[in-house]
Amino acid sequence: MTVPSVAERSAPDIDAPPILAVRGLWKVFGPKAESVVGSTLTRDELKQQNGCVAAVRDVSFEVRRGEVFVVMGLSGSGKSTLVRCLTRLIEPTAGEILLDGEDVRKADDRSLRELRRHRMAMVFQHFGLLPHRCVLHNVAFGLEIRGVSKRERYARAREVIELVGLNGFENSYPDQLSGGMQQRVGLARALAADPEVLLFDEPFSALDPLIRREMQNEVIRLHHEVGKTMVFITHDLSEALKLGDRILIMRDGELVQVGTPDQVVGAPADDYVRDFVSDIPRSDVLTLRWIMRPAQPGDPLDGPTLGPDVVIRDAVHAVLSAERPVRVMDGETLLGVVTSAEILEVIAGGPQA
Amino acid sequence: MTGRGEVVQSRGTVAMKPAKESQAKEGRVSAVAARVAARLPARGYLVVATLAVWVLGWALLRGRDTLALGGAELTPLHGGLNTGMDAIDDSRNSNPFFLYFINYIRLFIDEAVRFVQALISQPSFDRPVPVLGWLGVAGLATAIALLYGNRKVALLTAAGFLSFGVLGLWQESMDTLALTLTAVVLSLAVGIPLGVWAGLSDRFHRLVTPVLDFMQTMPTFVYLAPLTLFFLIGPASATVATMIYAIPPAIRITALGIRQVSPETLEAGTSMGATPAQALRLVRLPMAKQTIIVGVNQTIMAALSMATIAALIDAPGLGQTVLKALQTLDVGTAFNAGLAIVIMAVVLDRVTSAASRRVEVARRAGRLRTARGRRVEVAGVLGVAAVLGYLSYTYIWAAEFPADANLGPYVRRAADAASQWVQDSLVTYTDALKNLLTNALLNPFEKLLTGSPWWLVAAVAVVVILLVGSVRAALVATVGLLVLVLLGLWQDSMVTLASTLVATVLVMLLGMVVGVWMGRSDRVDTLLRPVLDAGQTMPAFVYLVPILGLFGPTRFTAIIAAVVFAAPVAIKLVAEGIRGVSATTVEAATSAGASAWQLISKVQLPMARSAVTLATSQGLIYVLSMVVVGGLVGAGALGYDVVAGFSQHQLRGKGLAAGLAIVVLGIVLDRVTRAATERADAAAHGGLHQR
Ligand SMILES: Nc1ncnc2c1ncn2[C@@H]1O[C@H](COP(=O)(O)OP(=O)(O)OP(=O)(O)O)[C@@H](O)[C@H]1O
Ligand SMILES: [Mg+2]
């Protein structure tokens, strides 16, 4: 199984304004939630003293247009709560959520509904399909709610059903489909509304490993085809690394680290993250940028060249078979060199490094 | 359960869980009581000692202060109630509450019932026969069964409706059906919206649940008489009584269906921007549809059962026939009409069950069969029904069930002969059983209750409840017993209480033995379950008939009828409890070498204790509501007072008081069993913690 390298994917425009910006978000469950905001007590202490659960504490991040933004953390770390706060399926306790600069928290009922109908759509862990409706009607459900005419909504539903590879199953009912296919229906339903942002709450954790991998590739393919911004929740690090342009790691409701997959693996923010990524083969995630060393005076500089964002694993062959150090070039500038020594160190250091 | 601060107590040590603020006071009171109790010797001895004091007191004070009151005797309170009821009667056409509210409801319901009767049962619109004759009604019913159910139930429906004619009870059956259908339609019209509301709103759910509990635990007989005060004797009262009984399942089950909808699916709807109304219409209602139809089924069954009982307030139909037969001890006629009631119950049950299953099936079949195919089928079936209806409207042979086909007299005679034969051949056994239970259990207990001074009985009861239950239950009991005294029906209440307790003991014996058997063996379960289901769907009236044949018109008949009525519930609950014991635990005990008896007594029953106590309290409620019916067959006491109140004007007040006394008994018994259960549970848990 190959992990598509980060560089392969269309890099989102870093300088453009973010499509989604979250600032100082808190969600506290329990009595007198407001008073807990800003507290520095740990979760357990809060629970003891106030009977409150601080599911999300002071989380800030930005999602760029067109990127796949992964939120990951262990069970109970507040991921689901966080993603539900984005469309106020759970009402946040404090903080700002800006969608294209507009504060979602200030929206009234009607404009919140409009936002949910047109701009953000969600895919659920257990699919959340309507058992009494066939696939076509399930997919058209969101459009029906919006009041789109029958003809139009079924035409659009057929389009997305085709897009997720379910043609031929329009008239099947959810309980006649496998888990993977049901989640394709969930995906199609979210896509049917043509939203700007797709939210996924652990969409594949209820699926078995083979199907999960297939669905991950499907998401990658769809991302290429439709280029939507995606916020993807998972507790599976390899899924996060595989899909994410950037990854946000949460623990006990708090943000621990945000960064690209190679940043997370190469420079874990603390022991928690280090522990998390310790099982990941670094050569699959890190790029040459992470292992190159400055060219020394004696180095022959006529070897082959590679870009700094090439994943180590993809460079192994080229580096080992070259007789000279491989030059890491960003355009015309020489960033550094890589030799068999660096490659072997990463591979030998393996997961423990 | 109540969130009261519970006193966890075991072997002289006291532990107390934190009480909720609102009930802190109560918690303190019971803490004091517990501390006092902790210094006293073990509870069991105290209970025995109290009972010994009672027996001693009975021996010494026998016959004093027993508050006996003859059948036709009245207390001033009864007289006052009579006057009050007369005043209500008189104000019917002057009081604005009646003029602008109650009377309209009565008119509306009366008209609704009359209209349905005009359609199917009574001569109407200047015709000597109803609009639809037997052929039309049977055809229409079969068509409905075919369209909403399947071919099998359609066949059953046709056979069932024909059998009403064959039994010679066509018109009576149609009267019962008319009353039932009207009540069902009205119940659903009220119950489903309320159920949806209770499904959506937690607050409303919390508000209605105790009301529904009360409606369902109140013995049905009790509210018949007061209803006639407002809605007069006749269809309106009968319909309202039926609705009181039939609405709770409609509300409960609808609310359950709405609540059961998967939260994730709902969230999916919200996340797509569904308004609350859209979520209800597009997500909740369709997903709850199947459950709601189960609620419709329960509503229909409850309505039918009550529609027959409503014969006591002159509701037309099969109930009347049974009632008259019971009063003249005519077993054959009662059996014949009872059979018709059972057939109607089975048909209605099967058709609605099939309809609820069809919701599922239709979904799948919908793809195979086109919508057009369905439309053709509907049109065809309805067409045939319309032709049959037209025939029955036009021709007398299709309107009146042919007299030649009336086999009712044969059925009656056969039933008479059979019951006579059974009586003759079983008389030694039934008499032995009757005498054994009457002399060994019922009589001594009843003598003790009715022969002791009322204050002694009350004091003993309160002390025992304090010992086995809680302070709160003892308070409820004190108030309840005083109310019984004030109502002037102390002795009658004690007679009824004796029968109720004896019947409950029998129910629990049956429940434990058969329930354990059923819970342990799949084969027994498959064998018995349909019998129990049938027992539960059958209207209560029907039980009385064969039992009356066997045991004659005595107290004992009422007790046996109550046992038959209540046992299925108790058995099922116990069996479920036994089944609920984890297989691993049973396996562990077996592998440790426990014998079957040890397994039952040391593992399965103790672990199923909450199911057993639930079975007891349910059994009590069922028994109480049936013991009253016993008033019809010679059981005397409160049941008789209520029944006499229906028929004799000057006894109306006493009947009302007797109804209240039954409710009071029910509340006290319910509270006491609950408190005893809670204490037993708490003691068991406390014991575990402290060891
Ligand atoms: N409605 C609620 N009321 C009270 N506490 C809640 C509620 N919902 C979630 N929590 C608590 O908030 C914390 C975060 O829950 P959340 O569901 O967001 O975690 P998660 O990261 O999605 O976990 P998982 O991987 O198990 O889905 C948990 O401790 C949970 O118990
Ligand atoms: Mg979650």
Side-chain angles (χ1 to χ4, degrees):
Chain A
M1 184 64 219
T2 57
V3 178
S5 73
V6 179
E8 265 171 42
R9 278 180 241 146
S10 51
D13 185 356
I14 295 178
D15 299 324
I19 186 163
L20 193 64
V22 173
R23 298 201 220 293
L25 187 71
W26 284 78
K27 175 62 202 182
V28 182
F29 290 107
K32 287 185 252 147
E34 270 78 18
S35 67
V36 174
V37 172
S39 151
T40 50
L41 297 173
T42 67
R43 240 197 206 184
D44 290 343
E45 288 168 346
L46 269 179
K47 175 108 205 156
Q48 294 267 311
Q49 291 181 9
N50 304 31
C52 294
V53 180
V56 175
R57 331 176 39 142
D58 197 16
V59 170
S60 306
F61 61 90
E62 291 183 349
V63 180
R64 298 171 195 145
R65 199 174 294 279
E67 84 172 326
V68 179
F69 188 84
V70 173
V71 177
M72 79 154 267
L74 297 178
S75 185
S77 56
K79 312 178 294 291
S80 297
T81 310
L82 175 64
V83 76
R84 279 170 175 71
C85 282
L86 299 182
T87 54
R88 286 171 54 194
L89 287 173
I90 292 177
E91 202 58 56
T93 313
E96 261 183 346
I97 301 161
L98 303 173
L99 179 65
D100 262 342
E102 268 171 66
D103 195 342
V104 175
R105 288 197 66 200
K106 297 213 176 84
D108 58 13
D109 279 0
R110 165 184 288 272
S111 43
L112 181 62
R113 258 201 311 272
E114 286 307 306
L115 182 151
R116 288 172 179 169
R117 287 177 179 184
H118 296 275
R119 305 184 63 187
M120 296 215 230
M122 188 152 165
V123 179
F124 294 85
Q125 180 171 5
H126 301 289
F127 325 135
L129 301 179
L130 296 165
H132 58 280
R133 289 176 167 226
C134 64
V135 168
L136 183 69
H137 292 189
N138 257 299
V139 172
F141 182 61
L143 302 171
E144 184 180 345
I145 284 175
R146 271 196 216 172
V148 176
S149 76
K150 238 184 202 165
R151 263 210 25 231
E152 213 173 308
R153 68 182 188 240
Y154 292 148
R156 170 69 186 156
R158 291 217 162 79
E159 245 169 63
V160 279
I161 287 174
E162 166 130 27
L163 186 64
V164 300
L166 274 180
N167 6 12
F169 291 95
E170 288 87 350
N171 294 324
S172 303
Y173 284 79
D175 57 357
Q176 297 168 316
L177 302 178
S178 70
M181 286 160 86
Q182 290 188 41
Q183 196 53 296
R184 282 172 199 261
V185 179
L187 205 54
R189 181 175 64 182
L191 284 170
D194 197 24
E196 292 158 49
V197 182
L198 278 170
L199 308 174
F200 295 81
D201 186 13
E202 302 201 26
F204 308 141
S205 22
L207 306 178
D208 57 43
L210 272 180
I211 308 284
R212 190 182 311 166
R213 208 172 305 155
E214 189 186 311
M215 292 300 292
Q216 288 163 354
N217 294 333
E218 185 74 20
V219 166
I220 293 169
R221 181 180 71 78
L222 284 172
H223 187 237
H224 275 298
E225 281 184 26
V226 298
K228 301 265 180 233
T229 309
M230 298 181 175
V231 176
F232 195 104
I233 309 292
T234 179
H235 63 247
D236 175 0
L237 181 64
S238 64
E239 187 169 83
L241 295 173
K242 181 172 171 181
L243 298 178
D245 290 318
R246 285 190 307 143
I247 299 173
L248 184 159
I249 297 181
M250 286 182 82
R251 176 184 51 199
D252 289 351
E254 281 171 306
L255 183 155
V256 185
Q257 186 174 7
V258 192
T260 55
D262 52 332
Q263 282 170 342
V264 169
V265 174
D270 63 5
D271 288 346
Y272 176 77
V273 182
R274 199 184 318 279
D275 223 29
F276 238 127
V277 299
S278 63
D279 281 339
I280 295 297
R282 291 155 56 92
S283 60
D284 284 0
V285 181
L286 296 189
T287 55
L288 294 183
R289 193 190 293 275
W290 289 88
I291 55 167
M292 66 192 184
R293 60 172 171 77
Q296 262 137 40
D299 284 334
L301 290 179
D302 52 354
T305 61
L306 285 172
D309 292 327
V310 174
V311 174
I312 296 172
R313 196 200 46 219
D314 296 342
V316 170
H317 187 73
V319 175
L320 293 187
S321 62
E323 270 131 42
R324 301 156 188 287
V326 168
R327 289 173 295 160
V328 181
M329 307 277 289
D330 185 10
E332 291 303 305
T333 35
L334 176 70
L335 298 174
V337 296
V338 177
T339 65
S340 334
E342 282 85 18
I343 295 276
L344 291 176
E345 194 191 317
V346 171
I347 293 175
Q352 275 77 39
Chain B
M1 285 287 111
T2 49
R4 198 146 17 98
E6 280 158 1
V7 180
V8 185
Q9 211 252 302
S10 163
R11 294 194 196 269
T13 26
V14 177
M16 186 165 157
K17 289 186 201 164
K20 280 198 183 146
E21 290 148 70
S22 58
Q23 275 116 2
K25 194 165 164 206
E26 153 96 8
R28 272 196 298 278
V29 174
S30 33
V32 171
R35 235 170 284 134
V36 173
R39 264 182 265 117
L40 297 171
R43 240 158 243 291
Y45 294 117
L46 280 178
V47 173
V48 173
T50 318
L51 296 181
V53 169
W54 184 12
V55 176
L56 196 70
W58 172 75
L60 294 176
L61 304 165
R62 197 170 349 168
R64 252 203 269 167
D65 294 342
T66 58
L67 305 185
L69 188 73
E73 281 180 73
L74 298 177
T75 66
L77 177 81
H78 303 160
L81 284 175
N82 252 355
T83 325
M85 289 165 104
D86 288 341
I88 293 182
D89 268 342
D90 294 340
S91 72
R92 186 163 293 119
N93 294 319
S94 53
N95 188 320
F97 177 63
F98 273 105
L99 281 183
Y100 300 110
F101 185 60
I102 295 285
N103 288 359
Y104 277 111
I105 296 181
R106 170 163 58 86
L107 278 179
F108 171 73
I109 297 178
D110 270 346
E111 280 314 309
V113 176
R114 285 225 176 85
F115 176 71
V116 184
Q117 279 181 316
L119 287 183
I120 63 174
S121 72
Q122 296 288 344
S124 57
F125 305 121
D126 303 325
R127 289 156 47 91
V129 287
V131 174
L132 282 183
W134 67 271
L135 192 61
V137 176
L140 189 63
T142 310
I144 291 172
L146 190 60
L147 292 178
Y148 288 97
N150 53 42
R151 257 176 237 155
K152 224 170 92 192
V153 296
L155 221 71
L156 180 78
T157 307
F161 272 74
L162 289 186
S163 73
F164 298 145
V166 171
L167 292 173
L169 293 166
W170 179 263
Q171 189 176 11
E172 289 85 343
S173 304
M174 289 308 106
D175 274 332
T176 296
L177 191 64
L179 182 61
T180 308
L181 288 185
T182 316
V184 165
V185 169
L186 292 175
S187 297
L188 295 179
V190 178
I192 290 184
L194 287 182
V196 170
W197 188 9
L200 294 176
S201 149
D202 283 334
R203 185 194 294 203
F204 184 65
H205 193 245
R206 271 198 305 275
L207 203 81
V208 289
T209 305
V211 178
L212 297 181
D213 281 344
F214 184 70
M215 280 164 81
Q216 287 192 306
T217 47
M218 195 163 45
T220 46
F221 281 74
V222 168
Y223 47 78
L224 287 182
L227 278 179
T228 60
L229 206 56
F230 294 100
F231 298 103
L232 294 180
I233 292 263
S237 287
T239 311
V240 174
T242 308
M243 285 173 67
I244 293 179
Y245 194 60
I247 283 179
I251 297 181
R252 268 186 214 276
I253 298 176
T254 305
L256 180 72
I258 295 284
R259 271 165 192 274
Q260 263 174 352
V261 171
S262 131
E264 202 179 44
T265 309
L266 270 177
E267 200 179 31
T270 320
S271 83
M272 282 182 277
T275 60
Q278 284 175 324
L280 179 63
R281 188 165 53 84
L282 299 172
V283 181
R284 282 192 140 116
L285 283 177
M287 286 178 81
K289 187 166 162 194
Q290 199 169 357
T291 312
I292 293 178
I293 297 181
V294 173
V296 172
N297 168 290
Q298 296 285 305
T299 306
I300 293 180
M301 299 322 289
L304 177 62
S305 140
M306 194 61 196
T308 51
I309 290 179
L312 281 171
I313 49 172
D314 231 21
L318 293 167
Q320 285 279 345
T321 316
V322 179
L323 185 64
K324 283 201 192 103
L326 282 177
Q327 279 159 350
T328 53
L329 302 183
D330 178 352
V331 174
T333 304
F335 177 83
N336 195 32
L339 191 60
I341 295 175
V342 173
I343 290 172
M344 194 177 293
V346 170
V347 168
L348 290 176
D349 182 40
R350 290 302 126 84
V351 172
T352 42
S353 303
S356 92
R357 255 174 283 125
R358 190 187 176 109
V359 172
E360 183 69 24
V361 177
R363 223 159 34 72
R364 277 142 209 293
R367 255 161 304 122
L368 305 174
R369 223 157 19 116
T370 55
R372 165 119 50 83
R374 170 74 179 166
R375 244 174 274 143
V376 170
E377 188 194 348
V378 171
V381 171
L382 288 184
V384 173
V387 170
L388 296 181
Y390 177 74
L391 289 179
S392 77
Y393 180 77
T394 318
Y395 300 104
I396 194 76
W397 59 266
E400 279 183 345
F401 203 81
D404 308 338
N406 180 356
L407 303 182
Y410 300 101
V411 177
R412 272 189 295 241
R413 244 170 282 148
D416 261 336
S419 111
Q420 200 57 50
W421 179 82
V422 170
Q423 277 179 51
D424 291 346
S425 50
L426 291 186
V427 70
T428 24
Y429 307 106
T430 53
D431 272 3
L433 183 67
K434 180 159 80 175
N435 291 338
L436 178 74
L437 282 176
T438 309
N439 293 332
L441 205 58
L442 187 55
N443 278 349
F445 193 44
E446 196 181 295
K447 280 218 182 78
L448 199 57
L449 276 170
T450 56
S452 316
W454 70 269
W455 43 265
L456 180 63
V457 178
V460 167
V462 170
V463 170
V464 170
I465 292 167
L466 261 181
L467 289 173
V468 302
S470 65
V471 176
R472 184 194 276 220
L475 283 178
V476 172
T478 313
V479 174
L481 293 172
L482 288 178
V483 170
L484 292 183
V485 173
L486 289 179
L487 287 173
L489 291 166
W490 173 263
Q491 197 169 51
D492 282 356
S493 303
M494 289 304 111
V495 175
T496 297
L497 180 63
S499 301
T500 305
L501 292 180
V502 167
T504 307
V505 169
L506 295 179
V507 166
M508 283 325 289
L509 275 178
L510 259 179
M512 302 279 266
V513 173
V514 183
V516 168
W517 198 27
M518 236 175 102
R520 287 170 54 90
S521 153
D522 284 331
R523 212 151 41 100
V524 178
D525 191 284
T526 31
L527 221 67
L528 281 184
R529 197 161 282 272
V531 180
L532 298 181
D533 285 344
Q536 281 188 302
T537 39
M538 235 186 279
F541 250 22
V542 177
Y543 296 113
L544 281 176
V545 183
I547 300 170
L548 186 64
L550 276 178
F551 296 102
T554 60
R555 247 177 337 169
F556 192 70
T557 302
I559 290 182
I560 295 296
V563 172
V564 176
F565 182 53
V569 187
I571 292 173
K572 274 190 183 176
L573 284 171
V574 173
E576 244 140 64
I578 297 285
R579 259 170 210 285
V581 176
S582 101
T584 330
T585 315
V586 173
E587 220 166 38
T590 317
S591 75
S595 67
W597 172 247
Q598 283 172 324
L599 196 59
I600 294 173
S601 64
K602 295 210 159 43
V603 179
Q604 289 177 315
L605 272 182
M607 288 184 75
R609 206 188 33 204
S610 61
V612 174
T613 43
L614 182 64
T616 315
S617 61
Q618 286 292 302
L620 251 175
I621 300 291
Y622 273 63
V623 163
L624 191 64
S625 71
M626 197 63 186
V627 159
V628 183
V629 181
L632 291 172
V633 291
L638 292 182
Y640 172 80
D641 295 334
V642 172
V643 174
F646 291 132
S647 48
Q648 296 172 52
H649 189 260
Q650 75 279 11
L651 293 183
R652 281 207 303 178
K654 191 174 181 187
L656 183 64
L660 287 176
I662 291 167
V663 174
V664 168
L665 272 184
I667 291 174
V668 171
L669 288 174
D670 185 51
R671 277 303 139 87
V672 171
T673 29
R674 274 197 213 180
T677 310
E678 266 164 42
R679 173 180 293 269
D681 279 349
H685 290 167
L688 283 181
H689 287 316
Q690 280 157 22
R691 226 162 273 144

